[in-house]
């Protein structure tokens, strides 16, 4: 059950210990035919089995008590100097394996938190991040029990006629007023990755309702819509609430699923969406969705200019959140995403990579947790997974191997 050090996909040359980074899972999971539910004629209320307030001053009895260990972190927990990338990679891996990011009992059992506060408590459970975690675990920590619990969490959350909350336990978070195609795709992808470990029928059954919701998100133009609103009132104007190039990652994830998982209409919609956004990543001024767009495009066979990512690099090696004026301070997930993409580009310059590594590792605490922004005392779970994989891919490149973009979390 330990974390596989420097392990990409499951192949490794045991003699040289150089990662071979083979292609995606070769397993085939058959999804039985399911009736497709028609499009919504009226708004649905968000349903979640997780309590409305996970983050409390006293332990919530529905959550495992280890999620509330009395640990407080301060700014002193951030190291002043960068260490070897492999050492930092392993430090992050240890944190992901041992930190209380997964609910271990109660109605939220198996779900993965989006982030932990400075007292080591989860703020909410996040379906998209649970999907990411299943992918990360399939690559680096294939624990059948823990992965099975995450699969069952998604199955329970999406078993009813109403959709689950985007961020379960986050209360009135605006994201809970919609169902997002991107999130659904990441959850289904995680279930496909988990199938060889947690059970193929178990994962296929859990994926079925998610795929039905995705079928509802096929727009009139035959491409995937960004979201399905669940209540009256407009959502904030964000990249995630509009169609855009980032949906290339949504589409590529769906097209990478095992044979038999997608309906013909959903396959066609994903193909059209990828074709539409294959070369439009620059339309995103925000680097987070721009990276999503490039991850999907490269999975779909496209090439990209590293300058789309590195031209905005600051003197300290970091990249801004956005190319718009007055952008906020750098985000860890952006630094990690750009590093991953550079690691799969044959012409990435070593100095660009090295400066980005330095920028990324400034977000890593001494215990291996990763802060969304430098100095943030909350531990961000998806940033940790992105950072771990980025540093692992860097180690692969330095060992002479090319990581496989199909494995991108």
């Amino acid at each position: 059950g330990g974390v596989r050090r420097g392990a990409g996909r499951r192949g490794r040359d045991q003699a040289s210990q150089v990662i071979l980074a083979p292609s995606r899972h070769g397993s085939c999971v058959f999804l039985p035919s399911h009736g497709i539910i028609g499009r919504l004629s009226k708004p649905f209320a968000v349903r979640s089995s997780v309590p409305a307030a996970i983050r409390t001053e006293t332990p919530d009895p529905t959550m495992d008590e280890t999620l509330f260990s009395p640990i407080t972190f301060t700014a002193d927990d951030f190291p002043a100097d960068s260490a070897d990338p492999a050492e930092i990679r392993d430090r992050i891996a240890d944190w992901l394996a041992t930190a209380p990011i997964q609910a271990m009992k109660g109605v939220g059992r198996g779900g993965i938190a989006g982030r932990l506060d400075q007292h080591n408590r989860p703020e909410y459970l996040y379906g998209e991040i649970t999907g990411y975690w299943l992918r990360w675990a399939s690559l680096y920590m294939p624990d059948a029990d823990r992965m099975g619990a995450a699969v069952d969490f998604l199955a329970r959350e999406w078993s009813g006629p109403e959709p689950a909350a985007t961020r379960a336990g986050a209360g009135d978070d605006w994201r809970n007023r919609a169902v997002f195609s991107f999130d659904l795709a990441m959850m289904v992808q995680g279930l496909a990755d988990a199938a060889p470990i947690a059970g193929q029928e178990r994962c296929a059954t859990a994926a079925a309702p998610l795929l039905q919701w995705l079928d509802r998100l096929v727009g009139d133009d035959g491409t995937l819509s960004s979201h399905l609103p669940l209540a009256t009132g407009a959502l904030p104007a964000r990249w995630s609430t509009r169609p855009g190039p980032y949906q290339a990652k949504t589409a590529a994830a769906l097209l990478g699923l095992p044979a038999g998982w997608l309906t013909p209409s959903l396959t066609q919609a994903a193909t059209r969406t990828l074709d539409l956004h294959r070369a439009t990543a620059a339309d995103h001024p925000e680097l987070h969705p721009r990276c999503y767009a490039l991850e999907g495009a490269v999975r779909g066979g496209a090439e990209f200019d590293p300058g789309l990512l590195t031209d905005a690099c600051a003197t300290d090696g970091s990249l801004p959140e956005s190319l718009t004026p007055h952008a906020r301070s750098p985000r860890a997930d952006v630094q990690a995403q750009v590093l991953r993409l550079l690691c799969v580009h044959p012409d990435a310059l070593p100095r660009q990579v090295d400066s980005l590594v330095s920028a990324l590792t400034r977000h890593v605490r001494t215990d291996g947790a990763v802060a969304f922004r430098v100095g943030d005392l909350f531990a961000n779970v998806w940033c940790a997974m992105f950072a771990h994989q980025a540093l692992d891919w860097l180690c692969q490149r330095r060992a002479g191997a090319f990581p496989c973009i199909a494995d991108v979390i």
Side-chain angles (χ1 to χ4, degrees), residues 17 25 43 72 122 124 192 195 213 293 297 335 358 399:
Q17 294 295 289
H25 292 298
T72 300
Y124 50 84
W213 279 99
Q335 316 307 308
S358 178

Side-chain angles (χ1 to χ4, degrees), residues 161-199:
E162 299 89 15
T166 299
R167 294 185 172 187
D172 60 355
D173 189 309
W174 63 266
R175 298 167 187 82
N176 289 339
R177 304 203 307 268
V179 175
F180 295 89
S181 59
F182 185 94
D183 293 32
L184 291 168
M186 297 308 111
M187 287 185 270
V188 173
Q189 177 178 249
L191 290 167
D193 291 334
I197 301 161

